[in-house]
Amino acid sequence: MARPDDSFSEFVRARTHSLLRSAFLLTGDQHLAEDLVQEALARTHRAWGRLEREGNAEAYARKVMYHAQVSFWRRPKVAEVFPGDLPDRSGSTGDQAEVTAQRLVLRRALLTLSPKQRAVIILRYFEDHTEVEAADLMGVSVNTVKTQCARGLAKLRTLVADLRILEPQR
């Protein structure tokens, strides 16, 4: 018979990369993402006996992660300033350096969004959640999700003229 710690270790090995990817998109920082995932996994471990039976450990870990991030947003903030302008996008060549630069531009644009807008954009378009699911995960109303999504997309459109930059090259 497998010990609970063995099954939790297997869960951590299997799902940490996916959780880190989502956490990075929420926080915009690799170190903060690692801290967020660590917090989520610690809380998931405390509830593991109940979660393992029901088979919803990843959903629980993600919800803990989103709630922890919302709690972090509510703390007093120090203003961040990103110096510099967006690079000129005319005459793109399609080489790897240009693709990397475009991804960095999009990342910088995402980081200019408010934390709620960024979370809604990630949940809706990266993780493909419905408005209702995103609202439930964030603990806000569906109207808040719609509003934050619309405002975030409008801001992204002004910052990044061509949002198709991450489509696969053909």
Side-chain angles (χ1 to χ4, degrees):
M1 182 172 171
R3 294 186 351 226
D5 285 342
D6 291 341
S7 60
F8 180 75
S9 295
E10 180 60 34
F11 168 75
V12 170
R13 278 191 294 276
R15 302 310 308 157
T16 296
H17 180 71
S18 175
L19 292 171
L20 271 172
R21 187 177 58 214
S22 295
F24 178 77
L25 291 171
L26 284 170
T27 63
D29 180 84
Q30 184 66 32
H31 301 291
L32 293 175
E34 291 169 358
D35 290 346
L36 187 60
V37 170
Q38 184 176 3
E39 175 68 22
L41 289 174
R43 291 184 190 180
T44 301
H45 185 263
R46 287 193 293 267
W48 187 251
R50 174 181 80 226
L51 297 173
E52 184 183 23
R53 287 188 301 269
E54 297 175 17
N56 60 356
E58 183 173 1
Y60 181 84
R62 285 183 181 276
K63 191 164 189 173
V64 166
M65 200 166 64
Y66 299 133
H67 284 256
Q69 186 62 18
V70 168
S71 295
F72 177 75
W73 295 335
R74 291 181 177 150
R75 294 182 194 146
K77 314 257 183 313
V78 175
E80 289 186 40
V81 177
F82 295 102
D85 296 324
L86 295 174
D88 182 21
R89 300 191 33 81
S90 61
S92 62
T93 60
D95 62 4
Q96 274 310 105
E98 180 65 22
V99 170
T100 302
Q102 289 172 345
R103 287 178 187 248
L104 290 173
V105 168
L106 182 59
R107 180 177 178 265
R108 179 178 276 176
L110 282 169
L111 290 174
T112 64
L113 298 177
S114 74
K116 275 189 180 180
Q117 289 171 351
R118 187 169 53 243
V120 168
I121 298 285
I122 290 166
L123 287 171
R124 292 280 292 126
Y125 300 105
F126 177 74
E127 293 192 354
D128 202 27
H129 287 285
T130 66
E131 291 169 340
V132 174
E133 292 170 340
D136 184 50
L137 285 169
M138 292 178 63
V140 298
S141 71
V142 174
N143 285 336
T144 300
V145 169
K146 289 179 182 181
T147 301
Q148 295 299 318
C149 189
R151 289 178 183 165
L153 287 175
K155 188 169 183 180
L156 284 176
R157 286 184 186 108
T158 62
L159 295 172
V160 183
D162 184 7
L163 287 179
R164 292 174 284 137
I165 61 176
L166 295 180
E167 289 180 359
Q169 301 290 325
R170 294 177 199 211

